[in-house]
Structure formats: C-alpha cells, structure tokens
Amino acid sequence: MNEVRILVVDDEPVTRMITESVLAAQGFIVEAAESAEVALQLLADGFEPQVILLDVIMPGMSGYEACRRLRANPRFEHLPIVMLTALDDQKSIDEAYFSGATDFITKPLNMPLLPHRIRYLLRSAMTFQQLLESRETLINTQKIARLGDWELDGAGNLVNCAEQYRALLGIGRLPRPAAALLARVHQEDCAGLEAARSGLLQGFPYQLDYRVSAADGSVVHLHEVGYPKPGAAGGYGYTQDITQRVVAEEQVRRLAWYDPHSGLLNRSRIGELTAREMSGPEGRPLPLGLLFIQLSGLRKASLLMGQATADAALLVFCERLRQFAEGALVTTADGNLQSLRRARLGRYDEADFLLALPGELPRAGWQQLAERLLAEIAAPLEVDGEALLLAPSIGIARSPDDATEVQELIRCAMRSANLAAGDGAARIVFYDPAHDAEEASLHLLERQLRAAVDAGDQLQLYFQPKVDAVSGRPVGAEVLMRWFHPERGMVSPGEFIPLAERTGLIRPMTDWLLARTVEQIAAWRAAGLVPGKISINVSAHSFYGGGLVRHIDEVLVRNGVAGEQLFIEITESILMHDREAAVQVLSALRERHIGISVDDFGTGYSSLGYLQRFPVDEIKIDRSFVTDVDSKAGNQALVSAIVGLGRALGLSVVAEGVETDAQAARLRQLGCDVLQGFLYARPMPAEQFEGYVARAVGRSAPP
C-alpha cells in the first residue's frame, strides 16, 4: 500500500491537524478539507484518494449528503468512506450506512488505532475490488455461456427461453407448465420463487436468488430477474448462474472472519460477536461468561518439534474443543441444563483461545464447565507418533460483574489465565480485581528497581562469610545484593530477584555487582585486608548473554585485582541448559584462574558425568540437605555421598545454611571442607565484614 492518499474532511481545525499529523507519521499522504464543498471540489479537480475520512456534522453540506453524492459518481462508487461523528445512536449509524458509508467511527477518535483501522479498510477494499473484478469477468463470460433469457405467458407457463436456461433448469420441450419449472429448485426456495412469479403475473417485477440441483447432484446458485410485459399478460426475464460469485463471497467472509489455521473465529470476529451478545437494551450489558484458554505447551511443541507438528496438534486440539462445545451441558442458575451450542469459539492468539457463552451461570457452574473442559483438552495429543502435552490453563471473567465492555472482559480473562499458567496447582482462575492491584504493584516495583539499577545508590553489597569447617576461620565470603528502597526500606531478595529475572534486569544488576565487588576487593587489598575468595552468583541471563568474560576482564584490569580473588557461582540447571556454550565460558574463566562453584548441588542433575566434563572447583550442598543433617539418616547419607563425590574429583565441598552447632559438628564429621550459615554470621555490609575478618586474624579493621 505505497503512496496511500487519504482525504480528511472535518470542519474542526484541531481534529484535522491531529488526524493529519498522526496519519502522515504513519506514511500516508494526507489532504485535508474544512468542508464537504471543498472536498468535492478537490475530487472534481482530479485528487484521487484511496480513503475518505468524512465528518458528519459540518456547516453547509453534511457528511451524509456528501457521501450520497460521492456514491452517485461511478468514480467513487466503491471508494472506502469512513464517517466520523460524536453521534453514536442507532439512527445516526443507520443514516451513515444508508448514505453509503463503508465504516463508522465515533469521536473522539482513537488515534493510535486509527492507522490500523485504515490499513484494515484498505485491505478489505482491495479484496472487495478483486471480488468485483472477478464478478465482472464472470458476468461477461456468462453472457456467452451461462446466462439465459425466458418468457412466461399469462398463466405462468414457459413459452420461450434460451438454450442456456434450458440447461440450468433441465427444461425439455416448450411450452412448459409453471409447476414443472420448480422440479429442480431446492425445496427451501420453492415457495419464494413461486410467490415471485405469481407477483410477476400481477405486474410486479422481482429479483431473486435461489438454488437448483444440477444433473450431477451439485447445488447451483441462480440469480433471477423478472419483469412484467408492458401492456400484455405474462412476463420475461433472465436467469444467471452465480455459483462462482457465491463461493467467492463465502471465501471472502471466511478470510475476514475465520482463523486460517484452526478454522475457528478469528480475534476480530469473536470480539465483534461477543460484544453483540453482551449488548442489552438501553446499553445495559447482558450476562456472559468468557473462558480464556492458554496452551503453554503449544509454543514449546513448535520450538522442539517444528511448526508442522505444532499445526497438526492445533487441529487436533480445535476438534476436541468443537466436540466439547457441541455436546456439553451446563447447569444454569435456576437448575436447568443448558447446551453450549450458543457458545462462540475463537482463536485469540498463537496459543490462546476463547470460549464465550451468553447467559447467567452461578460461579459453581462456571467452575464445573471449566473443569470439564480442562479434563477434555488436557489429555496428551498423539501427533506423528509423539505424545504432546499442551498444558492448558483457563481464566474466567464474567459480564457484567467483571467488565461491561468486551475488550476489558477479554483482558480480565487473559490476566486470570496467565495467573493460572504460572501456578502449577491452580489451572483454573476466576478474575479478581485484586489481580490488577498485584500487577500494578509489581509494575511499580519493576520501575523502581529499574531506576535503582540505573542510579546504583540504592543497591548495596552484603557479605556472608565462608569458614573453614575445622578451624572456624573465614576463608572467603559470598557477596549478596541488597536493595535499600528509599520508602520501603530493605526489600527482600525473594521479592526483587525473581522480578529482575523476569524482566531482564538481572543482567545489568549482575554487571553492577561484579564491578562493585572487584572495587571493594581492591580497596581491601590496598588497606592490607585479605578477605579470601569472594563468590559471586551469576544468573543464566548473564552467563549465556555474551560479554560476561569480557566484563570481568575489564573490571579486574581496571582495579588491578587478580582472577584468583573471585569465585563464580552457578547452578546445575545453568550448566545443563547449553553444555557446549557452558564449557566455553567456564574454560575462559579457568584460564583467568577464576574459581567455579556449583550452587544448590543435589537439587538438579548431580551427575558424576557432568562434573567430570565441566571445569569445576567447588560444589555447594543445598541447604535443604543441611537441615536436620544431625538427626535424619537420609540427609546424612546424601551429604556423605556428595562429599565422597567431591573428594573423588578433587573438589572443595561447601555446606550452606548451617544454623546450629549440631549441624556443624555432623558436617565436619562427614567431611565438609567449608561451612556457611547463620551460625557463623549473617550477610553483613562491607564495613561489618571488614571488622569480622580483622577480628578473626587478630588485627584491627582498616580505617
């Protein structure tokens, strides 16, 4: 749609200016007119727009009258004309369409949406123009091969006709009785055709579409026009085979209303139909329930097995959905059973679907419906010998309780489905306004965290000592990040770290942590303090994001710190995410003499094979195994096995989460090298850690 020209006709200068600016910014060529008279003159002078935006209420000629005049001109018979008005009553809408308007948009205009509406209108106009051209070609062809004229006498008997008409209706020798002309007509259309021809004999012309059965059993669509004979009894007319046109129109409707892959209603159409179902008298919304179905596994299937397999799974799923809607019954508020045949099924997005059911059900009824639907669609799908789990989750929103406008209702149901997908236990979630409050709170916290990362002054380094299991002397520390919010105070890491991982902020936060930690190590060394190796946790975003080793090189060189001062802590799951890439990063770190520690060991793969393959220096036993290690034989056996594995591979073994003397004694007995936990020290600011190390080595802390 290059060089798309738009004519904006509006008597309001501000509206014209804003509309022209918005559309011009989207690449459209815009011509503006302050009145219908000026617009008509522009068109008469040769300006050829692809779309006209026409205000209704203007001084002088109204938009309605201008539209009627344009439609009377063959140049603009099919030109897209969009009426703009603040009047949104039915009478105004009807008047717009009766005047020949293509579409109707109420003011104030939704400017971000307007360019998209215009592009959609242009695509529709292009499709319509193609349909018109196809229809014209068809008509010209049928004048030679598929169009037949005929003549009736005063009794309705066929007395004359073209050969083409004989073929269409299976006519034998003439004359032909009126009743015989209905032999091939579709049963549902017989009465209408008979009434039209009866009226013709009384002097009334008609136009009628009807169906007949062809000799091969197929259905042929006919368009027929009849005229009474002037000054004589009887009538004449022509009949045209319009089957191709009907099929083309049906195809256009299907392209406009249906998703091409699933065959379900597309987002636009189901939204339109649902809005109608919700619209009651005098603008009062009617009760309606919306189920938003989210398939987490469909995207995974396309990534792992290819789009063809995912498309095949989609078709199987949609068939299950249709069968459910055709056969299921729900219990209404008055205890009666209601069929789902009034339900609308649509595809909202790649892996998101809608089921809209008008009517009022109790909450228990919606819950029961969702549970039955979930049971129907959650079973594995068999596609090309592969069993696929689509992992569906369902969000439920109801009108008018949750929303009175269709897009808001969809948003509520979608929000609930997202919550259901994020909670493995709750696969069905009803909309609750508290969800929006939680989302708004998280959004606010995200913005504040982003500002804190940019500024850096709210983030602080905290150090938790790691001590020798035998002597209890510090051998290093794990550095942790703390966020001191100016209003909330200290924010729990359990709150902001997952948020940072979801939003991608974890990578700049890790970069900040690395830089500040190395600067602190340099300051301690300059003051003569030797804190031991400092461990830094690195997320998957930073580990695989590229640039980790380069960033470490920069901060080490800038501060004159050797790599031996650092430990990089990563989890088992990070290592196993991309083994080849992990080996490359770990080898580069080892070349710089940076230690590698596997955190939370024992909760993931815990494989001898991967430990031998990866260059690792230290494994940290997860705190879940340290709890009750002094009293539970199972925990003792696990820790003993991990220690044995570490020693066999020459790795240091660290136990974290040590809180009691009994735990420490048992861990020493089992052979752990290093201990870490509240028994020895909680995470502390750098100044307190300096004093802790100084006291341990018997000297004063640096000034």
Side-chain angles (χ1 to χ4, degrees):
M1 297 182 183
N2 296 328
E3 301 294 317
V4 174
R5 297 177 299 279
I6 300 175
L7 175 59
V8 178
V9 186
D10 199 310
D11 63 310
E12 296 178 5
V14 174
T15 301
R16 277 201 317 276
M17 181 184 66
I18 294 175
T19 305
E20 184 175 0
S21 175
V22 169
L23 295 179
Q26 293 292 321
F28 296 104
I29 298 175
V30 185
E31 187 72 32
E34 66 270 22
S35 69
E37 290 82 357
V38 172
L40 292 176
Q41 186 59 50
L42 279 172
L43 297 172
D45 291 341
F47 181 62
E48 295 285 348
Q50 275 82 44
V51 178
I52 297 179
L53 303 182
L54 182 59
D55 190 19
V56 170
I57 307 301
M58 293 182 291
M61 187 187 301
S62 72
Y64 297 138
E65 177 61 25
C67 188
R68 283 190 287 269
R69 293 193 183 188
L70 289 172
R71 290 305 187 211
N73 188 329
R75 280 177 60 200
F76 310 113
E77 183 180 1
H78 302 299
L79 178 70
I81 301 176
V82 181
M83 305 293 278
L84 311 176
T85 181
L87 303 174
D88 61 353
D89 58 282
Q90 189 62 48
K91 181 179 178 182
S92 300
I93 295 173
D94 291 343
E95 179 68 12
Y97 288 120
F98 290 152
S99 300
T102 309
D103 202 354
F104 181 91
I105 301 178
T106 57
K107 292 183 177 181
L109 300 181
N110 186 330
M111 289 300 176
L113 184 60
L114 184 60
H116 300 289
R117 289 281 295 270
I118 290 175
R119 291 190 181 99
Y120 177 82
L121 197 63
L122 287 168
R123 287 197 297 271
S124 299
M126 184 182 301
T127 302
F128 182 69
Q129 183 61 35
Q130 292 169 350
L131 181 59
L132 288 178
E133 293 170 0
S134 174
R135 183 182 179 185
E136 185 66 24
T137 301
L138 179 62
I139 290 174
N140 291 335
T141 302
Q142 288 175 344
K143 285 180 181 178
I144 300 173
R146 302 296 291 173
L147 183 70
D149 61 292
W150 44 264
E151 180 182 357
L152 303 180
D153 63 14
N157 302 312
L158 182 68
V159 294
N160 190 23
C161 70
E163 287 299 319
Q164 293 78 19
Y165 184 76
R166 290 176 181 269
L168 290 174
L169 275 297
I171 303 299
R173 291 184 300 174
L174 299 178
R176 197 73 173 168
L181 300 178
L182 302 175
R184 283 193 179 181
V185 178
H186 193 285
Q187 183 178 359
E188 295 177 0
D189 299 336
C190 281
L193 180 59
E194 192 172 13
R197 286 179 176 168
S198 176
L200 177 66
L201 300 180
Q202 299 175 36
F204 298 101
Y206 71 87
Q207 291 191 52
L208 184 69
D209 292 346
Y210 61 94
R211 295 161 290 173
V212 299
S213 298
D216 60 1
S218 62
V219 175
V220 178
H221 294 262
L222 302 179
H223 175 70
E224 188 166 286
V225 179
Y227 302 96
K229 290 181 179 179
Y236 67 94
Y238 63 84
T239 301
Q240 180 182 24
D241 183 348
I242 59 168
T243 303
Q244 293 185 34
R245 191 193 79 188
V246 171
V247 171
E249 290 172 348
E250 177 60 30
Q251 184 178 13
V252 169
R253 281 194 296 271
R254 189 151 199 88
L255 290 173
W257 291 349
Y258 292 89
D259 174 66
H261 300 295
S262 66
L264 302 179
L265 294 170
N266 60 26
R267 179 194 297 190
S268 175
R269 185 59 174 168
I270 193 171
E272 176 186 347
L273 294 177
T274 303
R276 291 183 190 175
E277 297 281 8
M278 291 173 59
S279 179
E282 300 180 1
R284 292 193 300 271
L286 297 175
L288 178 140
L290 191 68
L291 275 61
F292 195 99
I293 306 160
Q294 192 174 92
L295 303 181
S296 303
L298 190 60
R299 292 187 179 93
K300 293 179 182 178
S302 63
L303 291 173
L304 296 175
M305 302 179 184
Q307 192 59 47
T309 300
D311 288 344
L314 172 66
L315 293 177
V316 176
F317 166 79
C318 290
E319 185 57 31
R320 284 186 180 181
L321 203 57
R322 288 191 192 92
Q323 291 179 1
F324 176 81
E326 289 175 0
L329 298 173
V330 293
T331 305
T332 61
D334 55 10
N336 295 322
L337 291 178
Q338 176 183 327
S339 168
L340 287 190
R341 292 189 180 276
R342 288 187 62 200
R344 307 279 189 184
L345 294 175
R347 189 181 188 189
Y348 186 80
D349 212 336
E350 177 187 359
D352 299 326
F353 301 82
L354 294 175
L355 187 154
L357 179 62
E360 190 166 4
L361 293 179
R363 182 184 176 97
W366 290 115
Q367 179 74 29
Q368 181 187 51
L369 172 63
E371 288 175 353
R372 292 173 59 192
L373 174 59
L374 195 61
E376 186 71 23
I377 63 178
L381 298 178
E382 191 74 23
V383 179
D384 298 333
E386 295 282 349
L388 301 180
L389 285 172
L390 297 184
S393 52
I394 299 176
I396 304 174
R398 295 166 292 171
S399 165
D401 296 344
D402 299 327
T404 58
E405 192 272 331
V406 65
Q407 293 303 324
E408 178 64 13
L409 190 69
I410 292 175
R411 187 196 69 81
C412 293
M414 183 194 306
R415 172 77 180 117
S416 303
N418 288 338
L419 290 175
D423 187 343
R427 304 280 294 281
I428 300 170
V429 173
F430 282 83
Y431 174 73
D432 188 324
H435 298 161
D436 290 337
E438 293 171 6
E439 186 71 17
S441 177
L442 281 175
H443 184 63
L444 174 62
L445 192 65
E446 177 190 343
R447 287 193 288 111
Q448 293 173 336
L449 179 58
R450 198 175 294 275
V453 172
D454 292 340
D457 55 350
Q458 298 177 27
L459 303 179
Q460 300 178 6
L461 301 182
Y462 270 56
F463 298 84
Q464 185 172 34
K466 298 163 67 174
V467 304
D468 182 89
V470 177
S471 67
R473 295 173 65 85
V475 295
E478 178 181 356
V479 63
L480 304 167
M481 184 181 295
R482 295 292 183 263
W483 178 19
F484 190 82
H485 192 281
E487 298 174 0
R488 295 179 53 183
M490 195 67 75
V491 181
S492 168
E495 186 176 358
F496 75 83
I497 293 297
L499 178 63
E501 291 177 340
R502 287 199 305 272
T503 59
L505 284 172
I506 193 67
R507 185 169 180 181
M509 290 170 64
T510 302
D511 290 345
W512 180 91
L513 182 67
L514 277 164
R516 299 291 84 76
T517 299
V518 173
E519 290 174 3
Q520 184 62 67
I521 293 173
W524 282 335
R525 289 180 61 83
L529 187 70
V530 182
K533 288 194 172 186
I534 304 300
S535 300
I536 302 175
N537 288 284
V538 173
S539 70
H541 293 273
S542 296
F543 190 79
Y544 290 113
L548 173 65
V549 176
R550 183 174 63 252
H551 180 64
I552 292 177
D553 284 343
E554 291 174 357
V555 297
L556 290 177
V557 171
R558 185 169 65 244
N559 293 281
V561 174
E564 291 91 341
Q565 295 295 306
L566 291 181
F567 253 110
I568 296 298
E569 288 193 11
I570 50 179
T571 61
E572 294 177 84
S573 60
I574 292 177
L575 287 177
M576 302 306 292
H577 177 73
D578 187 337
R579 302 180 189 185
E580 297 301 326
V583 169
Q584 293 180 9
V585 176
L586 294 179
S587 298
L589 294 173
R590 285 293 293 273
E591 289 175 3
R592 290 151 176 79
H593 306 289
I594 296 172
I596 309 298
S597 177
V598 179
D599 198 10
D600 300 336
F601 189 81
T603 60
Y605 299 89
S606 306
S607 165
L608 175 63
Y610 94 73
L611 283 179
Q612 288 179 314
R613 182 177 182 184
F614 296 120
V616 174
D617 302 287
E618 176 185 275
I619 53 178
K620 297 185 72 173
I621 302 173
D622 186 71
R623 65 181 63 248
S624 62
F625 302 130
V626 173
T627 302
D628 299 327
V629 71
D630 56 317
S631 58
K632 288 188 177 180
N635 284 16
Q636 294 172 16
L638 286 169
V639 171
S640 179
I642 294 172
V643 170
L645 178 62
R647 286 188 172 175
L649 297 175
L651 307 177
S652 175
V653 180
V654 180
E656 57 182 349
V658 183
E659 298 185 357
T660 68
D661 288 325
Q663 291 173 352
R666 179 61 69 182
L667 291 167
R668 281 192 295 270
Q669 182 183 12
L670 293 173
C672 288
D673 303 301
V674 178
L675 305 180
Q676 178 184 347
F678 289 174
L679 175 64
Y680 300 99
R682 293 177 177 271
M684 60 188 77
E687 297 79 7
Q688 294 182 22
F689 180 69
E690 293 169 2
Y692 178 90
V693 174
R695 288 191 298 273
V697 299
R699 52 162 291 182
S700 60

